[in-house]
Amino acid sequence: MRLRDFLKSKLFFKHLLLIILSFFVLLFLVMQLLKIYTRHGKEYEVPKITGQSLQDVMSSQEMSLFDIVVIDSIYREDIQAGTILTQDPNPGSMVKRGRKIYVTVVAFSGEIVKMPVCVNVSLKTAVQNLVDKGLRVGTLMFRSADIGGNGFVVEQRFNGQSIKAGTDIQSGEAIDLIVEVPSTTTIVKIPNILGKTEKEAELLLWQVGLNVGFKQYDGEKDRDKMRVVSYSPLSNSATLGTSISLNFMSSSKKKYQKEMDNFNREKNKKAEEERINQQIEEQITSDEVQEN
């Protein structure tokens, strides 16, 4: 049979039809296998895991659907080591089984840094030197001096012992500073820390000679969102070394501005009362002098 005759025959068309049908059947099977392999149409919601322990998350049944990958660790002295700080994808995202969830966790210890020079410099300089190295101020202690007392740091201590500049120390550790001041220097103005982050508020307090006291957080503890809404003692000034307790609230909360406004009103009211009392005391003193 010649080729031309074969191409016109029923046998050729029969074979051609079988080939086309086989192609579509094979294509259909491949598509079904791909759907099964990629789990097409089956997605799972990513739960919120920030703030939880990495170990607990890794062992949970819910997270067995995903692959947890730690991409970074950051030392935070105020949060328990191993706590998850960030996650990607975000909570609520719909992903397929086996999707990698990238997380940042709190490191178990800080990196090793060199102790900076804090002695024979002003308190403000010493504080900045510590912060620049990733260290914290522990306790500020003040010593009066009739002669000298220029407000310079005279000793730096770690765990109650003097520590020399250049000594290896973990970032995040607290360094106590002893400052020598004139005997007449006792009262300092409390800086404007309302609306400041925890880091900003601490730095401002340390630089003027005030210690950071108890810290309270309203809502989720997140340094990026938390701001100072009030503090105690409720005053415009304080004695050197006074511990200032701080209250934080997320700036995203509706009552955030209201809390600061209420605190400002109370502070201004107390300041006015103190001013009136001072005027009364001065008047009484003046009257006593005139009588004598």
Side-chain angles (χ1 to χ4, degrees):
M1 180 181 294
R2 291 183 302 177
L3 179 60
R4 180 180 297 178
D5 295 335
F6 175 71
L7 293 177
K8 295 179 179 180
S9 67
K10 292 182 178 180
L11 181 62
F12 169 75
F13 286 106
K14 182 179 179 181
H15 286 172
L16 180 62
L17 181 61
L18 287 174
I19 292 172
I20 294 173
L21 288 174
S22 298
F23 171 78
F24 281 108
V25 170
L26 180 62
L27 181 63
F28 174 78
L29 291 174
V30 170
M31 293 297 293
Q32 293 303 312
L33 289 173
L34 284 175
K35 287 182 180 180
I36 295 174
Y37 178 75
T38 61
R39 298 174 180 87
H40 180 73
K42 185 64 174 178
E43 293 185 330
Y44 301 87
E45 182 177 349
V46 177
K48 179 182 177 182
I49 57 176
T50 54
Q52 300 182 46
S53 165
L54 176 63
Q55 184 176 1
D56 292 342
V57 169
M58 295 282 282
S59 60
S60 69
Q61 183 65 31
E62 183 181 25
M63 293 306 294
S64 63
L65 299 170
F66 313 106
D67 184 14
I68 306 297
V69 179
V70 178
I71 58 173
D72 196 10
S73 60
I74 302 172
Y75 182 70
R76 292 278 294 271
E77 72 282 348
D78 59 328
I79 302 179
Q80 185 176 356
T83 301
I84 296 174
L85 293 173
T86 66
Q87 68 176 89
D88 181 28
N90 293 322
S93 302
M94 301 302 295
V95 299
K96 294 177 182 177
R97 184 188 184 97
R99 172 71 154 83
K100 286 182 171 60
I101 309 296
Y102 299 97
V103 299
T104 300
V105 300
V106 177
F108 284 85
S109 62
E111 62 177 324
I112 301 299
V113 298
K114 297 293 184 182
M115 177 66 199
V117 176
C118 296
V119 176
N120 295 325
V121 298
S122 68
L123 174 60
K124 188 174 183 179
T125 300
V127 169
Q128 192 61 56
N129 289 345
L130 290 175
V131 172
D132 289 343
K133 285 290 187 178
L135 298 167
R136 293 175 48 79
V137 175
T139 302
L140 294 174
M141 294 169 280
F142 296 88
R143 189 167 67 194
S144 297
D146 294 329
I147 300 176
N150 53 9
F152 278 22
V153 176
V154 294
E155 189 177 353
Q156 54 194 32
R157 294 178 181 176
F158 175 59
N159 287 338
Q161 302 294 324
S162 292
I163 181 171
K164 293 182 179 179
T167 303
D168 288 342
I169 187 171
Q170 284 186 350
S171 63
E173 296 288 5
I175 305 299
D176 300 331
L177 301 176
I178 299 177
V179 188
E180 200 168 70
V181 296
S183 56
T184 55
T185 304
T186 57
I187 304 298
V188 293
K189 184 178 180 181
I190 297 178
N192 182 19
I193 56 176
L194 287 183
K196 302 296 185 182
T197 64
E198 183 175 350
K199 202 173 200 178
E200 292 169 341
E202 287 181 337
L203 180 60
L204 289 171
L205 291 172
W206 290 331
Q207 287 178 336
V208 299
L210 297 172
N211 284 302
V212 177
F214 179 74
K215 291 183 284 189
Q216 185 171 336
Y217 303 85
D218 184 350
E220 185 178 351
K221 193 175 179 182
D222 185 342
R223 277 189 170 179
D224 295 330
K225 295 180 180 179
M226 285 293 178
R227 299 288 188 275
V228 177
V229 292
S230 64
Y231 59 83
S232 63
L234 180 61
S235 179
N236 289 310
S237 58
T239 305
L240 278 172
T242 298
S243 292
I244 307 298
S245 298
L246 304 173
N247 295 317
F248 295 90
M249 181 180 292
S250 173
S251 56
S252 61
K253 282 198 171 187
K254 291 183 179 180
K255 62 178 181 178
Y256 165 73
Q257 189 61 50
K258 183 179 179 181
E259 288 291 322
M260 285 202 300
D261 291 341
N262 289 339
F263 178 79
N264 268 325
R265 279 193 293 269
E266 290 297 320
K267 187 177 70 167
N268 293 335
K269 180 180 177 181
K270 184 170 183 180
E272 181 62 20
E273 291 175 352
E274 291 175 350
R275 186 185 66 81
I276 294 174
N277 289 336
Q278 184 177 1
Q279 287 180 343
I280 293 173
E281 290 177 1
E282 290 175 353
Q283 185 62 47
I284 293 174
T285 302
S286 177
D287 293 341
E288 289 176 349
V289 170
Q290 289 178 4
E291 288 177 1
N292 295 330

